[in-house]
Amino acid sequence: MKKRSYFLTAFLLFAGIFNTWAYDGDGSAATPYQIKTVEDLKTLATEVNEGNAYSGKFFELTTDLDLEEAEWTRIGNDKKLFSGTFDGKGHSISNFKISESTATDGTQNGVGLFGGLGGPLKNLIIKGANVTNKQQNVAVLAGTITADAKIENCVVMNSTLTMDGGSGRFGFII
């Protein structure tokens, strides 16, 4: 009995350490995944950047998030899109900066809070962002979007966008 309990404890510990799942909700339209903390948002970025597009899944922001001037790793890029639905519910994401000059994965397109967007994004306020970059398709909100992306009722305010050399398309929203 003791061996089994150690095995079960070790298994649960191992599963907990390597499980990045952090969201409440089931991802459906009725019960969207909940983004409650900066860590939840970082988890979303990590998972999308690792190839999980979340196509057909729903997310909602449940509170204002202040990234406290931290360097932000974009959610996706032109090759790895976030394809779910993200509803900010009127909340804000504020005070982040992006200053990467070349993405760690070698991509040159899609810089912003969402580097690559392939699904609906709505009801989100961005405040106090500072984006400095020389890549292609740079924005504060969404650097690269597809025909399936729809941006609705989103605002970028009190933010800066600087192209540092480089050439390409850039803007505050997309």
Side-chain angles (χ1 to χ4, degrees), residues 3-169:
K3 279 187 179 181
R4 285 185 188 171
S5 104
Y6 288 132
F7 175 74
L8 181 59
T9 303
F11 174 77
L12 292 173
L13 248 166
F14 179 79
I17 289 171
F18 292 102
N19 181 9
T20 59
W21 198 254
Y23 317 115
D24 288 339
D26 64 10
S28 67
T31 314
Y33 294 132
Q34 307 287 301
I35 303 292
K36 297 177 179 181
T37 66
V38 172
E39 287 306 313
D40 289 346
L41 192 64
K42 287 179 181 179
T43 297
L44 177 61
T46 298
E47 291 176 350
V48 171
N49 293 334
E50 289 176 353
N52 188 348
Y54 285 105
S55 183
K57 298 297 182 182
F58 294 81
F59 288 79
E60 69 180 18
L61 190 60
T62 63
T63 189
D64 296 340
L65 297 180
D66 186 341
L67 282 85
E68 299 177 351
E69 304 297 323
E71 183 73 25
W72 176 249
T73 300
R74 60 195 168 163
I75 300 171
N77 58 48
D78 63 324
K79 305 276 189 260
K80 295 177 181 173
L81 303 169
F82 171 76
S83 297
T85 298
F86 191 97
D87 188 347
K89 293 290 195 181
H91 294 290
S92 65
I93 297 175
S94 60
N95 301 318
F96 64 89
K97 65 180 179 178
I98 300 172
S99 57
E100 65 186 24
S101 59
T102 302
T104 56
D105 62 4
T107 58
Q108 291 294 316
N109 290 303
V111 172
L113 177 68
F114 288 85
L117 185 63
L121 174 60
K122 57 187 177 180
N123 306 317
L124 181 62
I125 301 165
I126 302 296
K127 299 189 294 188
N130 182 355
V131 179
T132 302
N133 213 284
K134 57 183 170 187
Q135 295 188 46
Q136 301 284 326
N137 302 331
V138 177
V140 173
L141 185 60
T144 300
I145 65 169
T146 68
D148 294 327
K150 184 190 315 185
I151 296 176
E152 178 182 321
N153 197 29
C154 292
V155 177
V156 174
M157 52 197 280
N158 301 326
S159 297
T160 60
L161 175 62
T162 305
M163 291 303 288
D164 183 21
S167 63
R169 297 176 289 262

